[in-house]
Amino acid sequence: MEDIVTEVREGLGGREVALTLSAAGADAVRAVGAEWLLAAVRALDLAHPGHPLELVLRTNRSEPMPEGWAVQPAVAGQTFVEGTGVGRLSVRGEADVPAVWRMLQMPHPDLLVRDGEYTFIAPTDPLRRRVGALYSALYHRAPLLLDTWRQNRNSIPAATRSPMHPKAPHLEPVGAVTGPRTADLGGRPAAWIAMHWLTPAGAESWAFTSAEIARDAGYEVVITVDRSAPQKAVARALEITPHVYLAANVLTGEDWDGFLRGVLDRHDVEVLHIHHSARAYAFLPELRHISPGVHVIDSTHVVEHRTGGFVRQSLEYSNLVDHHHVISPELRDLYTLDAGVSRDKVSYRPLTGGSTHPGAAAGARPARRPGDPLRVGFLGRLAPQKRPFLFVELARRLHRSQPDAFTFLMQGSGPLEPQVSGQIARSGLNGVITRRAWGPVGDFFADVDVLVITSDNEGLTLTSLEADEHGVLVVSADVGSQRTVVAPVALAPRPPQQFLRRTIEVLKHLAADEGALERAYAAQRSLLDELRAAEGAADFLTTYYRTLKER
């Protein structure tokens, strides 16, 4: 532990650091490591420069994790009585300024190696805890019924939802910005990558790639997150840059203004690239006032059903954004046709690299032999959005009607692991569905003929592109821009019962007709070839950053 304290002290410029831990706290600090701890403390220091910092360390077993909160020293002991308080951390500051007391939210060591207990509704008060418990019980016992209700609800926009279009006005600076702004770290122009959180998959994969492209273009990269989480991919972020701030794990609402301004004070920010960061969007009017020369670009992936999600924020703040990068034709049309954003500031670039799998380039893999079962697979996180229960129910119905015509493989893990395992057992499918933890996608695709995507909301899935590269047909719910990459015959409606009926019909036809799989794959290949003919996102951003750097 002394090495960790030394590393934190050195990372804070030699300031005196005191750390007191319980046995559980020592395990938690060792699990996250000094760099994780330092990335959180630096965020608070950026918000309150020079102040002494007093942190109560708290561990969490469930996701989503709470954000930091203000702590009163006199009552901080209750956290330790509850078993979540595991330590105290003090950082010496200037003598004439008050100390800042905060709760630092850390993952329990178990949360770093496996998915935690999932809460459908954040238990912030007794009523929400009761509703969340009911929701969880329904998911265990009647997932199809619950999802039918969810999809009906999601199909009706919230009463408060207005059309998505630019709302914040364009802001033009008049006169000089007062007060000197000096960057005391890096020494180079910086690219600020504002992320949701640090996870190793999903939209964050593109955010990390963007950060690497910015680094390779010569920028000093700054990474911030505004959602409290285990931040499991902090090591990848630190491989790109030492300037990583785990802000949401320690800041309260009142700290964010100082923190966001502090990023601009500490770093010579020339580019802000927003990747699903609500805090960064809300900060744009202030950014345009205090640093009007910062170039703002964002990347968006998917429209959330009821609220619009980050796409709504992107459009509402569009007049304060210099350029929008979207990954699907659906989003391109939403921005330019529906919302009226100028085509000149919207770039549709799919998350493709412009290459195909060697085996698939020749036209798919060998045809199934007559009599072979159709091998059907699910690949992804066991999370509500992915609706893994639909795949289990699909397997149950197909196996019941034609037990020798299909095999089933599920690869992935996630917070709904207990629910999925329970459903498989209740359905009598323990010996029917083969389960695998995360592993090489090539191994998975070598063992399936068809990938089924059951999600209730997506943009344009990377797994569809990967499946095609390995000669695997994709059958998918018709969500997001999936019709861009999925053969028309292999699309199914989003509502759960309609999805099951259509998918069962498609899979039975593929199993019975020896040429059906090859014909459907040929249609899919045609769509994907057209998609890959477009410039890929990485090539686009490499040129974009280089142009900005040279201007």
Side-chain angles (χ1 to χ4, degrees):
M1 297 307 301
E2 292 181 1
D3 291 344
I4 290 179
V5 172
T6 298
E7 192 170 341
V8 172
R9 182 184 298 119
E10 292 175 351
L12 294 172
R15 292 165 65 179
E16 185 176 335
V17 174
L19 182 62
T20 302
L21 298 169
S22 66
D27 290 340
V29 169
R30 288 193 193 97
V32 298
E35 290 182 323
W36 192 104
L37 198 63
L38 185 58
V41 175
R42 277 178 172 161
L44 187 60
D45 184 50
L46 209 59
H48 301 278
H51 285 252
L53 307 178
E54 300 290 347
L55 299 175
V56 176
L57 309 186
R58 181 177 184 268
T59 56
N60 299 266
R61 290 180 178 270
S62 63
E63 297 182 80
M65 287 172 54
E67 295 189 353
W69 62 67
V71 174
Q72 294 181 334
V75 298
Q78 183 61 33
T79 304
F80 293 85
V81 171
E82 295 169 353
T84 55
V86 297
R88 281 274 287 108
L89 174 67
S90 298
V91 179
R92 178 68 61 86
E94 298 172 8
D96 58 345
V97 293
V100 177
W101 282 77
R102 293 292 182 267
M103 187 74 70
L104 173 57
Q105 305 288 354
M106 300 173 59
H108 187 277
D110 288 347
L111 207 56
L112 294 174
V113 296
R114 62 179 64 91
D115 293 288
E117 302 166 0
Y118 185 80
T119 53
F120 287 96
I121 299 174
T124 53
D125 58 59
L127 176 60
R128 289 176 66 88
R129 278 195 291 271
R130 289 194 293 272
V131 174
L134 174 61
Y135 203 109
S136 181
L138 284 173
Y139 200 99
H140 271 285
R141 298 177 185 178
L144 272 177
L145 178 63
L146 180 60
D147 194 62
T148 299
W149 173 78
R150 286 181 64 244
Q151 300 312 318
N152 289 337
R153 180 200 63 177
N154 288 341
S155 297
I156 303 173
T160 56
R161 174 171 167 174
S162 59
M164 290 188 287
H165 59 79
K167 295 179 180 177
H170 177 75
L171 297 175
E172 187 69 30
V174 180
V177 177
T178 59
R181 306 190 65 79
T182 58
D184 57 13
L185 281 180
R188 290 183 293 159
W192 175 4
I193 310 298
M195 295 177 60
H196 188 61
W197 52 22
L198 303 182
T199 62
E204 285 68 36
S205 295
W206 169 238
F208 282 123
T209 299
S210 300
E212 291 165 347
I213 292 172
R215 175 200 61 196
D216 295 343
Y219 285 106
E220 189 78 31
V221 174
V222 179
I223 295 177
T224 63
V225 298
D226 60 22
R227 181 68 181 269
S228 182
Q231 317 296 4
K232 295 179 183 179
V234 69
R236 181 174 180 186
L238 289 164
E239 288 174 357
I240 300 170
T241 175
H243 309 307
V244 178
Y245 299 101
L246 304 185
N249 286 66
V250 67
L251 301 187
T252 66
E254 67 187 67
D255 300 326
W256 279 95
D257 178 66
F259 171 72
L260 294 170
R261 284 173 165 264
V263 171
L264 299 175
D265 287 334
R266 188 72 60 90
H267 305 277
D268 182 15
V269 176
E270 284 194 354
V271 183
L272 168 59
H273 195 156
I274 303 176
H275 289 271
H276 292 180
S277 173
R279 296 285 184 179
Y281 281 120
F283 186 62
L284 287 180
E286 186 67 10
L287 176 71
R288 288 309 189 199
H289 175 63
I290 60 179
S291 293
V294 173
H295 187 90
V296 179
I297 179 175
D298 67 358
S299 291
T300 53
H301 297 244
V302 60
V303 180
E304 300 297 336
H305 288 307
R306 284 176 62 79
T307 65
F310 294 107
V311 171
R312 167 175 289 277
Q313 284 192 295
S314 173
L315 285 169
E316 290 180 342
Y317 287 96
S318 180
N319 288 326
L320 304 177
V321 176
D322 294 294
H323 205 82
H324 299 290
H325 163 235
V326 299
I327 70 160
S328 69
E330 177 209 31
L331 288 176
R332 175 199 58 202
D333 294 345
L334 173 63
Y335 277 72
T336 60
L337 300 180
D338 297 344
V341 177
S342 170
R343 290 181 179 271
D344 293 338
K345 64 180 291 183
V346 180
S347 291
Y348 157 55
R349 298 295 189 279
L351 299 180
T352 57
S355 62
T356 56
H357 186 271
R365 48 206 211 174
R368 288 170 52 240
R369 294 174 301 178
D372 282 354
L374 186 71
R375 302 174 302 169
V376 183
F378 172 97
L379 176 67
R381 274 178 55 78
L382 305 183
Q385 175 197 343
K386 305 299 183 182
R387 300 195 294 183
F389 67 89
L390 274 182
F391 185 82
V392 178
E393 178 63 14
L394 177 70
R396 187 187 72 81
R397 296 186 185 187
L398 287 171
H399 182 70
R400 181 181 60 187
S401 63
Q402 295 179 245
D404 298 324
F406 304 94
T407 64
F408 304 96
L409 172 63
M410 292 187 77
Q411 177 165 305
S413 62
L416 296 183
E417 172 71 40
Q419 289 91 332
V420 171
S421 295
Q423 184 187 3
I424 290 174
R426 289 193 304 273
S427 301
L429 299 175
N430 277 333
V432 175
I433 297 178
T434 301
R435 301 287 303 280
R436 289 183 187 171
W438 293 111
V441 294
D443 294 346
F444 170 83
F445 286 123
D447 293 331
V448 300
D449 302 305
V450 178
L451 171 70
V452 177
I453 296 177
T454 54
S455 305
D456 71 348
N457 204 22
E458 292 285 0
L460 194 160
T461 60
L462 289 176
T463 51
S464 295
L465 308 185
E466 292 171 330
D468 183 75
E469 291 178 350
H470 290 83
V472 170
L473 179 70
V474 177
V475 174
S476 174
D478 187 5
V479 294
S481 210
Q482 282 296 95
R483 60 180 52 205
T484 307
V485 294
V486 176
V489 71
L491 284 170
R494 188 189 78 199
Q497 293 292 355
Q498 291 95 311
F499 173 86
L500 287 169
R501 283 196 292 269
R502 175 58 183 163
T503 304
I504 288 172
E505 176 185 315
V506 169
L507 292 176
K508 285 185 174 181
H509 176 65
L510 294 174
D513 186 335
E514 294 179 11
L517 185 64
E518 286 70 27
R519 291 192 298 272
Y521 180 78
Q524 173 182 292
R525 164 60 53 175
S526 178
L527 291 171
L528 267 295
D529 284 346
E530 181 178 346
L531 180 78
R532 291 190 177 96
E535 182 183 32
D539 291 337
F540 157 74
L541 193 59
T542 298
T543 302
Y544 194 89
Y545 275 155
R546 185 184 301 120
T547 302
L548 287 177
K549 191 73 168 58
E550 294 173 352
R551 69 179 181 176

